[in-house]
Amino acid sequence: QVWVGALGVGPHGVELKGTFKELETFAFQDDICESILDICTVVPDGVLCFVPSYFFMDKLMKRMEGTGVLAKLKKLKKIYSEPKQGGSADFEKLIRSYYASIGSGRGALFFAVFRGKVSEGLDFADENARAVISIGIPFPALKDEKVVQKRMYNDFHCRERNLLNGNLWYDKQAYRALNQALGRCIRHRN
């Protein structure tokens, strides 16, 4: 019982492309914030929201606070966000608190980052993730030196070592991260 959908346009008519350029605009951020609020209004229990980076998560939280959307969300659900740093004990405590908020009947919204701790390795079955929101496609940082080098390596060796060329490898990394995040709520022992 899974429904998958994509929002192409936000509540105020803004096209929700999710490109780096669009993420920077207030119009995009405002329609994303309103969309999250609309989803949290109708979805019970736990909601996960994955964003491309900690930088964007901070920017989105500040924008929600400034527009009043965060206050409205807090009336609906307890808000959590994935910490950029911290030990495993702190993270486990945060996850237990998230589960407890859901168990209390109030529900919770967890903002997390693609390729972060929440997106890889944790399962959010049943009420722990009744919805997963994905903002954008998490392409690796194009100008990151490791990414540049890996793409060049793959381009140079793709035929002799049977590797994906640099562009295909780059795309595959983005969709792997997206699938990891979306998979948080579909694994189940039944």
Side-chain angles (χ1 to χ4, degrees):
Q1 298 176 344
V2 175
W3 177 82
V4 177
L7 298 177
V9 177
H12 303 294
V14 175
E15 190 174 7
L16 301 178
K17 287 183 181 178
T19 62
F20 181 77
K21 182 180 175 184
E22 296 296 321
L23 292 174
E24 296 296 312
T25 67
F26 287 145
F28 177 88
Q29 292 170 21
D30 290 347
D31 261 23
I32 284 293
C33 294
E34 288 291 331
S35 297
I36 293 168
L37 178 62
D38 290 347
I39 290 167
C40 288
T41 300
V42 297
V43 175
D45 303 321
V47 175
L48 302 177
C49 181
F50 289 98
V51 297
S53 67
Y54 290 103
F55 178 77
F56 181 73
M57 182 167 54
D58 291 341
K59 184 178 283 202
L60 194 63
M61 296 299 271
K62 287 177 185 166
R63 185 67 184 166
M64 283 191 297
E65 188 172 2
T67 60
V69 171
L70 189 60
K72 292 176 184 175
L73 278 170
K74 286 181 177 181
K75 289 179 182 177
L76 296 171
K77 297 186 181 295
K78 180 134 169 115
I79 310 296
Y80 294 88
S81 59
E82 181 175 354
K84 189 172 184 176
Q85 297 163 334
S88 60
D90 292 335
F91 183 71
E92 288 176 27
K93 183 179 176 184
L94 180 68
I95 294 297
R96 282 194 305 274
S97 179
Y98 172 78
Y99 292 152
S101 294
I102 293 165
S104 72
R106 180 171 180 209
L109 170 61
F110 203 124
F111 286 95
V113 176
F114 290 110
R115 295 183 186 86
K117 290 180 182 178
V118 173
S119 72
E120 299 180 1
L122 291 175
D123 291 333
F124 291 86
D126 301 324
E127 67 277 352
N128 293 328
R130 292 293 184 199
V132 178
I133 302 166
S134 170
I135 300 175
I137 298 172
F139 287 99
L142 189 59
K143 296 183 182 191
D144 180 314
E145 190 58 33
K146 290 179 184 177
V147 172
V148 170
Q149 292 296 320
K150 176 64 175 165
R151 290 179 74 184
M152 287 174 34
Y153 178 87
N154 278 35
D155 282 342
F156 187 76
H157 295 289
C158 65
R159 291 180 193 238
E160 67 188 49
R161 296 191 180 173
N162 198 26
L163 299 173
L164 295 173
N165 69 41
N167 287 335
L168 289 174
W169 171 86
Y170 183 73
D171 289 348
K172 192 171 195 83
Q173 298 312 302
Y175 289 102
R176 178 180 297 151
L178 180 64
N179 288 335
Q180 283 284 356
L182 295 178
R184 299 305 92 210
C185 70
I186 60 174
R187 290 178 184 83
H188 200 284
R189 67 179 178 217
N190 296 324

